[in-house]
């Protein structure tokens, strides 16, 4: 599918209050840059101007072996925040959620990202952002670091927002389970980003962002099914059924996919946004149908057969 041929509208939002320790090697003739977690692109631009080299602890990719059940209550990234009964129920829904789809060349299943898959997901997102921004390869380590800090921060707000990951298995089964893509889903105001991009969506409404597909697995309809999986989960988790997302004006294939999926443009960035070195974006919206509990039962049973 054409929509899966490109990384889909990547936007990275980092909490300005999140600070981490890392080493920066600067050219002494330049002024040290300010690393902004609110605007990582500005930070990278300043690093480039200051002729900086950044080094971070290396980490090896994790192997992916999805199992039937995973408890997010035991997740070390969740923190010690007290959860209400309603939040506990939502967390259980996230634990059991799985979206399955048979493709022409193999199988795809989508579920919530687990803690041990964070490095792998951060690498995929960093690669997608670097590709869309035409960023030099030398900034890959910095971008992976920023993305991982963002994923850690967002994981702490579960069950109000969640990162989904999709795994692909070809029909021959020669390559095993591959990470095929990822997407972030915000369910309500408590899961909303502190500094969303323009045009600003309603904070209390569900929001889809940071969707991308692994480069070698594009043009297989994976992007479409990441979107459908997000909508299915939103139908179960969100009280408001109007979901929003952004799409850059230059991204024709994702835009056509969103239109086909039932989204419509509600607002577009002013041309003045170009003065901030940002691409103009559409804010798009769709009203989701009522969730069908019978369909959930069918999906869960199919999921147990595939993952067993």
């Amino acid at each position: 599918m054409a929509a899966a041929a490109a990384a889909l509208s990547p936007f990275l939002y980092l909490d300005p209050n999140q600070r981490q320790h890392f080493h920066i090697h600067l050219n002494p003739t330049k002024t040290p840059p300010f690393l902004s977690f609110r605007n990582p692109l500005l930070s990278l631009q300043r690093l480039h101007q200051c002729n900086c080299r950044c080094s971070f602890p290396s980490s090896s990719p994790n192997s992916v072996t999805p199992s039937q059940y995973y408890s997010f209550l035991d997740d070390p990234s969740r923190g010690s925040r007290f959860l209400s009964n309603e939040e506990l129920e939502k967390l259980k829904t996230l634990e059991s959620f799985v979206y399955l789809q048979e493709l022409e060349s193999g199988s795809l299943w989508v579920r919530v990202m687990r803690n041990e898959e964070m490095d792998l997901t951060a690498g995929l997102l960093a690669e997608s952002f670097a590709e869309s921004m035409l960023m030099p390869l030398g900034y890959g380590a910095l971008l992976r670091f920023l993305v991982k800090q963002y994923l850690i921060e967002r994981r702490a707000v579960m069950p109000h927002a969640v990162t989904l990951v999709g795994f692909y298995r070809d029909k021959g089964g020669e390559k095993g389970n591959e990470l095929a893509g990822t997407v972030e889903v915000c369910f309500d105001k408590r899961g909303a980003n502190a500094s969303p991009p323009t045009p600003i969506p309603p904070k209390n409404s569900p929001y889809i962002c940071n969707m991308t597909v692994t480069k070698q697995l594009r043009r297989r309809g994976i992007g479409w099914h990441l979107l459908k999986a997000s909508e299915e989960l939103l139908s179960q988790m969100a009280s408001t059924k109007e979901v929003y997302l952004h799409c850059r004006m230059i991204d024709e294939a994702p835009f056509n996919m969103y239109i086909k999926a039932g989204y419509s443009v509600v607002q577009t960035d002013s041309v003045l946004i170009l003065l901030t070195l940002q691409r103009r974006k559409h804010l798009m919206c769709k009203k989701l149908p009522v969730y069908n509990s019978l369909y959930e039962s069918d999906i869960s049973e199919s999921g147990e057969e595939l993952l067993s």
Side-chain angles (χ1 to χ4, degrees), residues 165-220:
V165 286
F167 296 99
Y168 174 80
R169 181 190 300 162
D170 60 32
K171 289 188 175 179
E174 298 177 357
K175 295 184 179 180
N177 305 318
E178 298 180 77
L179 178 62
T182 182
V183 59
E184 181 181 333
V185 184
C186 306
F187 303 114
D188 52 37
K189 186 176 182 179
R190 292 181 63 181
N193 282 280
S195 303
T198 58
I200 297 177
K203 276 205 167 184
N204 204 35
S205 295
Y207 180 67
I208 298 173
C209 63
N210 295 334
M211 185 192 300
T212 190
V213 175
T214 301
K215 194 170 184 178
Q216 60 268 27
L217 294 177
R218 294 172 186 171
R219 298 185 181 275
R220 305 187 190 208

Side-chain angles (χ1 to χ4, degrees), residues 48-255:
H48 180 67
Q49 292 171 348
C50 292
N51 191 23
C52 303
R53 293 179 293 109
C54 296
S55 60
F56 305 96
S58 60
S59 59
S60 59
N62 294 319
S63 59
V64 178
T65 55
S67 58
Q68 272 185 283
Y69 181 76
Y70 183 89
S71 175
F72 292 113
L73 283 174
D74 301 328
D75 195 315
S77 298
R78 192 187 65 81
S80 57
R81 180 173 61 88
F82 175 79
L83 297 179
S84 66
N85 289 336
E86 181 182 0
E87 288 176 314
L88 287 172
E89 288 301 317
K90 289 183 176 180
L91 208 58
K92 291 179 181 178
T93 300
L94 294 178
E95 288 172 353
S96 61
F97 176 76
V98 59
Y99 172 95
L100 302 168
Q101 182 65 39
E102 286 295 327
L103 307 176
E104 290 185 5
S105 55
S107 303
L108 174 74
W109 64 97
V110 182
R111 57 163 171 76
V112 177
M113 180 189 72
R114 299 170 183 175
N115 187 64
E116 65 269 18
E117 295 157 356
M118 194 175 297
D119 285 335
L120 202 59
T121 306
L124 174 59
L125 282 168
E127 181 182 340
S128 174
F129 294 143
E131 179 185 2
S132 68
M133 296 181 294
L134 303 178
M135 187 178 296
L137 295 176
Y139 295 121
L142 173 59
L143 194 51
R144 285 193 299 274
F145 173 81
L146 292 173
V147 172
K148 184 174 180 180
Q149 303 317 302
Y150 172 80
L151 291 176
I152 293 173
E153 174 196 327
R154 299 299 292 157
R155 196 164 181 79
V157 303
M158 285 177 64
H160 301 282
V162 72
T163 299
L164 299 179
V165 286
F167 296 99
Y168 174 80
R169 181 190 300 162
D170 60 32
K171 289 188 175 179
E174 298 177 357
K175 295 184 179 180
N177 305 318
E178 298 180 77
L179 178 62
T182 182
V183 59
E184 181 181 333
V185 184
C186 306
F187 303 114
D188 52 37
K189 186 176 182 179
R190 292 181 63 181
N193 282 280
S195 303
T198 58
I200 297 177
K203 276 205 167 184
N204 204 35
S205 295
Y207 180 67
I208 298 173
C209 63
N210 295 334
M211 185 192 300
T212 190
V213 175
T214 301
K215 194 170 184 178
Q216 60 268 27
L217 294 177
R218 294 172 186 171
R219 298 185 181 275
R220 305 187 190 208
I222 292 174
W224 173 269
H225 289 292
L226 286 173
L227 181 63
K228 294 289 107 178
S230 302
E231 293 178 349
E232 183 177 312
L233 183 57
L234 281 168
S235 295
Q236 301 178 39
M237 296 280 292
S239 57
T240 304
K241 299 307 178 185
E242 286 189 346
V243 57
Y244 289 81
L245 54 80
H246 283 97
C247 182
R248 299 187 307 176
M249 292 182 67
I250 64 168
D251 293 332
E252 183 178 351
F255 180 78

Side-chain angles (χ1 to χ4, degrees), residues 17-33:
N17 297 319
Q18 180 83 10
R19 295 292 184 267
Q20 301 290 336
H21 297 289
F22 49 94
H23 303 289
I24 306 175
H25 307 283
L26 298 172
N27 183 327
T29 63
K30 301 287 185 177
T31 303

